[in-house]
Amino acid sequence: MEAGGLPLELWRMILAYLHLPDLGRCSLVCRAWYELILSLDSTRWRQLCLGCTKCRHPNWPNQPDVEPESWREAFKQHYLASKTWTKNALDLESSVCFSLFRRRRERRTLSVGPGHEFDSLGSALAMASLYDRIVLFPGVYEEQGEIVLKVPVEIVGHGKLGEVALLASIDQHCSTTRLCNLVFMPAWFSPFMYKTTAGHVQFDNCNFENGHIQVRGPGTCQVKFCTFKNTHVFLHNVPLCVLENCEFVGSENNSVTVEGHPSADKNWAYKYLLGLIKSTPTFLPTEDSDFLMSLDLESRDQAWSPKTCDIVIEGSQSPTSAASSSPKPASKVGSQEAEVGSDGERGAQTPDSSDGGLSPSGEDEDEDQLMYRLSYQVQGPRPVLGGSFLGPPLPGASIQLPSCLVLNSLQQELQKDKEAMALANSVQGCLIRKCLFRDGKGGVFVCSYGRAKMEGNIFRNLTYAVRCIHNSKIVMLRNDIYRCRASGIFLRLEGGGLIAGNNIYHNAEAGVDIRKKSNPLILCNQIHHGLRSGIVVLGNGKGIIRNNQIFSNKEAGIYILYHGNPVVSGNHIFKGRAAGIAVNENGKGLITENVIRENQWGGVDIRRGGIPVLRSNLICFGYSDGVVVGDEGKGLIEGNTIYANKGCGVWMMSSSLPHVTSNHVSYNGLYGVAVFSQKDGSSELPRGHRAQENFSEDGDAILWETELEKEEDPLRRPITIALVESNSINHNGASGLYVQSSEALHVITNVIHANGDRGITVAQSSQLTRVANNSISCNQQSGVKVEAQCKVELRGNGIYDNRGQGIITKGDSTIVIENDIIGNRGSGLQLLPRSDTKVIKNRIHSFRAYGITVQGRAKALVQENIIFQGKTNKTIFQQISNNRECVMQNNKFLVFKKKSDTWRLVNPPARPHLENSLRCPSAAHNGQVTVMATRITARVEGGYHSNRSVFCTIL
C-alpha cells in the first residue's frame, strides 16, 4: 500500500465487504495488505464468524457474552475442524489416459426435500459416491429402517438449526462421515440415533434429543457446538474422541459414559485429532493467572540449650535462722506480695516481665530488705521460622499470612511434579472441554479402565458431576462443579488421575469423594461452601491432596475415616463450620504442612480409632480448640504450630494414647494442652450435626470394615502411654498443661513458659503422671500444682521465675526428685495439708519467700536437698505446726553470710538437661510458622477445668 493512498480506516471499510476467498487473496498481495486483513478482527472476521449458520459463538455455551481473544483465530479453528473428516480422502476417479494429467473428480451435491432431487435421505445415500454432499432442506425426515452408511458422505441441514429434523437410526460402516446443522431424534424401532465401530464421525452444530449415540474403538468422533437433550453418549474403548463446546441437558442417566481402555488399534483420524488438539490453546494456567498459592514451611529450630546458673549473693546483713522458726502467716510474707489463696497459691499482680529470660529484678521489692538475686537464664519458647518468635495476636488486625505461606500456582506445582505435568498434558480416550452439563442426573461416567480428560467445563444442578471407577483414570483441569445433589467428583474401586485447578462449591455432599483404594492427585483446587465436607476419604481410599484451598464447608474440610489413608499437604483449610480436618473410624493419613485456620470446631479432630500423622501444620485462629484427640483417638502429633485458638491448643483424652511431640503451642485462649480421660458424653453430637453419618453412594449404610485392608504404617510407632513430649507451650490463657485423667501420662522435655495461669495443673491423676525434664518458667501463677488424691512424679525439671510458688501439692503420692526450683515469687515448694510428698535431691530457692513451706498435717520426706535463702529476713524452711510426719534428713541450707559468697549450679548443671532427653526430630518436621492476625481470646478463671473440650465435639 503506497504512501499517500487511501486512509487505513477507508481501506478497512472497503475490505469489510469482501467474502472469505477474496480476503484470502488480498492477504497474499504483500505484507502491508496481510497486516491490514488481520486488523479486521473486530469487524469483518467477527461478522463472518457470527454470520455462519453452521457456527455458533466461539465461547458458547459457557460464556456466550465473552468475546474471544481473536475472531479470526476462532473462525480459523472452526474451519479447520470442519475439514478433519476429509483428511483421509484419496484422489477420486481420474482420467486413465495420462497419469501425468490426473485430475480430481468434483464432489457432487445431492438435494433432499419436497420439490428436490430426492425425497428421503435413504434414496440419496443409495445414489451417493465418495465424499458427496447431501443437503437436507427444511422438513422432518423419518426413516422406517436402519440407515447404513457405506461410503464417506457429508450430510448437512439447510437453513437455521432446528428447521431440519431427522428421525433415524444410522449405522456407519464407512471410514468417515460428517453431519452438520441437523436435529436428531430416535426412530420408533431403536433408541440409538447413531452408531459407529471403526470409522470417524464428525458432528457440527447439531441437536440430539431423547436417544443414544454409540462410538466403539477403534472408531473416533469429533463433536462441536452440539446440544444433547436427555441424550446418552456411549464411548467404548475409543482411542480418541473430542467433545467441544457442547451442552448436555436433562439427562436421566449419565450424559457421557467412557468405558474400557483406549483401543490399541487406531483409525486414520487419530493423528489428525491429536494434532488439532495440540494446536488449540491449552487450559494449563500461567503463573500470573492462577488464583492459588502454596505452602512452604521453613525449617524449625530444634536446639534447646540449657544454661548454667550462677547464684550471686547481694547484701551485707546477717541472715535469720535456717531452721524451723516460729510460725508466720503466709499472708504476711513480704509487705508487697500478692494475696495467697486458701490453698496457699499466689496470684499474679504484676505484668509479665519474663520474656527476656532473666529472673525478676525486684522492682516492687522493699529496698531495705536485701535478697539473694539469681542472674540465670531460663528456657523460653523455642524460636520458629529461622529464629523468629510468634508474638501475641494484634487486636483489631486482619489475619495476614507471611509470604512463605502463599500457595504455589498450578503451573508452579506442575513444574515441580513432572509426573503430574505429563498427566496434565496427556490426551487419551475422551477429551471433553468447554462443555456445559446441567439439570440432569449425571455428567461424565468413566469406568472399566476408561480414560477421560475434562477441561474448562461447567457441571451444575446434577446429581453428580463425574464418577470414576474400576481402575479408570481422569484428568480434570479448570472445571466449575457446583450445586450437585450428591458429591461433585466421586472415585472408587481404584479410580485415579489428576484433579487440578477446579472450582468445586455448593454441593450437597462432599466436593470430592474418594473410596475403595482410589488414589487421585488433587492439586490446586478451590473446594468451598459445601453442604457437607470438602473432601471425604474412606474405605481404604488414598490420594494426594496438595495445595488446595478448602474453606467455608458445613462439615469438616477434609474427612478421613474407615481406613482412608491420604497424604494431605500444603493446603489452606479455613473458615469451616466444623473441624478443619476430621479423622474418625480408624482413618489414617499423613497430614503435613497445611495452614488450618478460623474453623468453628477443632482445627484437627481425631476420634474413634483415628490414627493420623499430624506434622508441621499451622493450626491457628480457630474458634474452638486447635487439635482435639477424642475417645479412642490415636496418632502422632508432631512439629505443629498451634496458635491463637479460642479454646485449648491441644485437647485430648489420655486413654486415646496420642503422642504429642515437638509442637509450638502458644497464645491459645484456654489451656495449652488439656488431658482428660472421662468418657461421659464424649460421643455427644454437636448442635446441628446429623445423628448418623451416611457415606453410601446410594443412601444405604455400608459396613466398610468387612473389606478393609490392615496395613502397618512405618510412620507410626506404637505407644502404650499417652505422651506429651518436647513441646513449647507458652503464653496460653490458662494453664500450660492441665491434667484430669485416670490414665497414666508422661510429660517429658517440654518448655512451659509464661502461661496465664499455672505451668502445669494436675487436677486428677489416679494413675501415675510422670513429669520429667521440663522447663517450667515465668507462668502467672505456680509452676506446678498437684491436687488431692493425685499420683505425680516430678523429676529433673527446671521450675523458674513463676509468679506464684514453684510447686504446690495436695497429692497423696507425690515424688519431687532432682528438680531445680529457683527464683519463684512464692515458696519454692509448698506442701498443703493431707499431702504425702517425697522431696529428694532438689535445689530450691525462692525469690522472696520460703524455700519450703509445710502447712497443716502434711506428710513429707525432705531429704538431701540444697535449699538457698532468698530474702535476708526470711527463713529457708517454714513449718506451720509441729508435724512429726514431716521428716528432714541430710538437707543443705545455704544462707547469706557475706557479699562475696557465690554459689553455682554446676554439678549437675542447671536442669532440665534437655540435650540428653530430646528425640531427634523427624526428617519431615519442616518448621513452625509465624502469623500476624486479630487477637482471639477467651477469658477463663485460673481454676477453670472441664471434662471435655469446651467448644469442640465432632463425630
Side-chain angles (χ1 to χ4, degrees), residues 414-532:
L414 293 177
Q415 287 174 352
K416 292 194 304 183
D417 191 336
K418 301 303 180 184
E419 184 176 351
M421 177 66 85
L423 193 58
N425 290 326
S426 65
V427 179
Q428 194 177 23
C430 178
L431 171 63
I432 304 172
R433 61 182 176 186
K434 296 190 286 187
C435 293
L436 172 61
F437 296 80
R438 64 179 178 88
D439 304 320
K441 180 177 180 181
V444 179
F445 180 44
V446 188
C447 61
S448 302
Y449 297 88
R451 299 290 186 270
K453 183 174 184 179
M454 287 154 271
E455 296 181 333
N457 304 287
I458 294 177
F459 300 83
R460 73 167 188 247
N461 298 325
L462 305 167
T463 300
Y464 64 86
V466 178
R467 286 168 53 113
C468 177
I469 68 171
H470 289 117
N471 300 94
S472 299
K473 298 291 183 290
I474 58 175
V475 177
M476 298 192 66
L477 300 174
R478 294 291 185 156
N479 302 281
D480 283 298
I481 301 172
Y482 58 98
R483 298 200 190 104
C484 292
R485 294 181 290 276
S487 297
I489 302 173
F490 187 84
L491 301 102
R492 67 187 295 238
L493 297 173
E494 301 188 54
L498 173 65
I499 301 171
N502 302 283
N503 191 14
I504 305 171
Y505 59 100
H506 284 302
N507 297 291
E509 298 290 336
V512 181
D513 190 315
I514 305 170
R515 314 184 187 201
K516 293 187 177 181
K517 301 183 183 179
S518 295
N519 190 18
L521 171 57
I522 301 175
L523 184 66
C524 295
N525 301 280
Q526 282 192 333
I527 304 173
H528 57 100
H529 292 94
L531 302 183
R532 297 286 299 272

Side-chain angles (χ1 to χ4, degrees), residues 88 125 130-131 146-153 155 169-179 193-201 214-216 218-220 267-268:
N88 73 327
L125 287 172
L130 296 175
Y131 300 99
E146 185 177 67
I147 295 178
V148 178
L149 299 181
K150 297 181 180 179
V151 294
V153 292
I155 303 173
S169 177
I170 302 176
D171 190 357
Q172 176 184 339
H173 289 180
C174 58
S175 60
T176 182
T177 296
R178 178 174 184 252
L179 301 105
M193 295 179 287
Y194 199 94
K195 296 184 291 184
T196 182
T197 56
H200 171 73
V201 60
Q214 178 177 283
V215 180
R216 290 186 176 272
T220 57
N267 64 15
W268 66 269

Side-chain angles (χ1 to χ4, degrees), residues 554-576:
K554 190 173 182 179
E555 296 182 7
I558 299 177
Y559 206 162
I560 305 170
L561 65 164
Y562 298 121
H563 292 273
N565 192 14
V567 176
V568 182
S569 65
N571 303 281
H572 283 200
I573 305 170
F574 58 98
K575 294 186 178 179

Side-chain angles (χ1 to χ4, degrees), residues 134 149 159 181 226 261 313 338 396 501 537 566 581 672 759 782 792 822 840 908 925:
I134 299 176
L149 299 181
N181 208 43
C226 293
H261 193 279
I313 298 174
V537 186
I581 298 177
S782 303
V792 179
I822 306 293
I840 302 172
H925 179 180

Side-chain angles (χ1 to χ4, degrees), residues 722-761:
L723 181 61
V724 179
E725 176 187 20
S726 304
N727 302 282
S728 176
I729 305 171
N730 63 87
H731 295 93
N732 298 286
S735 297
L737 173 65
Y738 184 89
V739 180
Q740 184 174 320
S741 171
S742 59
E743 309 288 339
L745 173 68
H746 286 180
V747 181
I748 301 173
T749 64
N750 301 281
V751 171
I752 302 174
H753 176 80
N755 294 286
D757 198 350
R758 308 173 192 98
I760 297 177
T761 299

Side-chain angles (χ1 to χ4, degrees), residues 657-895:
L657 301 181
H659 185 180
V660 182
T661 179
S662 304
N663 301 284
H664 190 105
V665 185
S666 62
Y667 292 100
N668 298 286
L670 303 181
Y671 308 116
V673 178
V675 183
F676 298 95
S677 65
Q678 183 166 336
K679 299 179 182 179
D680 296 340
S682 61
S683 61
E684 293 177 359
L685 297 178
R687 289 181 301 170
H689 203 74
R690 304 182 187 183
Q692 178 180 355
E693 287 289 355
N694 186 349
F695 290 99
S696 169
E697 57 182 303
D698 296 320
D700 299 324
I702 291 181
L703 299 178
W704 295 98
E705 302 292 346
T706 59
E707 55 182 289
L708 301 180
E709 295 180 348
K710 306 295 183 182
E711 299 178 354
E712 294 296 329
D713 194 334
L715 294 175
R716 301 168 178 85
R717 59 184 180 96
I719 60 174
T720 58
I721 296 176
L723 181 61
V724 179
E725 176 187 20
S726 304
N727 302 282
S728 176
I729 305 171
N730 63 87
H731 295 93
N732 298 286
S735 297
L737 173 65
Y738 184 89
V739 180
Q740 184 174 320
S741 171
S742 59
E743 309 288 339
L745 173 68
H746 286 180
V747 181
I748 301 173
T749 64
N750 301 281
V751 171
I752 302 174
H753 176 80
N755 294 286
D757 198 350
R758 308 173 192 98
I760 297 177
T761 299
V762 183
Q764 176 186 332
S765 179
S766 56
Q767 295 193 36
L768 180 65
T769 294
R770 184 168 180 263
V771 181
N773 294 320
N774 301 280
S775 174
I776 305 169
S777 63
C778 305
N779 297 286
Q780 291 293 320
Q781 295 194 31
S782 303
V784 179
K785 183 175 182 182
V786 181
E787 295 287 356
Q789 300 180 348
C790 292
K791 297 179 180 179
V792 179
E793 178 185 323
L794 296 161
R795 182 187 294 267
N797 303 285
I799 303 173
Y800 302 106
D801 285 356
N802 297 286
R803 296 297 179 120
Q805 282 74 17
I807 299 174
I808 300 177
T809 177
K810 296 180 183 178
D812 57 5
S813 180
T814 305
I815 300 173
V816 183
I817 182 170
E818 297 180 350
N819 301 280
D820 286 344
I821 308 170
I822 306 293
N824 301 285
R825 293 293 182 95
S827 300
L829 177 62
Q830 188 171 62
L831 310 181
L832 299 179
R834 294 182 296 279
S835 63
D836 185 353
T837 310
K838 293 181 180 179
V839 184
I840 302 172
K841 295 183 179 180
N842 300 282
R843 294 181 291 200
I844 303 173
H845 168 271
S846 172
F847 178 61
R848 33 193 257 184
Y850 302 97
I852 299 177
T853 300
V854 180
Q855 295 184 352
R857 306 296 296 176
K859 182 179 180 180
L861 172 62
V862 183
Q863 180 179 327
E864 300 182 23
N865 301 282
I866 300 176
I867 307 174
F868 303 97
Q869 186 180 32
K871 299 177 72 171
T872 56
N873 66 345
K874 296 294 183 186
T875 58
I876 292 178
F877 181 83
Q878 182 192 41
Q879 186 168 327
I880 299 300
S881 61
N882 294 326
N883 185 357
R884 295 182 181 181
E885 294 184 347
C886 181
V887 180
M888 306 280 294
Q889 294 180 349
N890 303 323
N891 298 287
K892 183 176 181 181
F893 298 92
L894 299 181
V895 298

Side-chain angles (χ1 to χ4, degrees), residues 117-170:
E117 186 177 358
F118 299 96
D119 294 330
S120 67
L121 175 62
S123 59
L125 287 172
M127 300 298 297
S129 299
L130 296 175
Y131 300 99
D132 281 348
R133 179 185 180 95
I134 299 176
V135 178
L136 300 181
F137 283 84
V140 177
Y141 300 87
E142 182 175 4
E143 301 293 333
Q144 299 301 316
E146 185 177 67
I147 295 178
V148 178
L149 299 181
K150 297 181 180 179
V151 294
V153 292
E154 181 181 23
I155 303 173
V156 180
H158 186 272
K160 294 181 180 180
L161 178 63
E163 293 180 352
V164 179
L166 180 61
L167 284 70
S169 177
I170 302 176

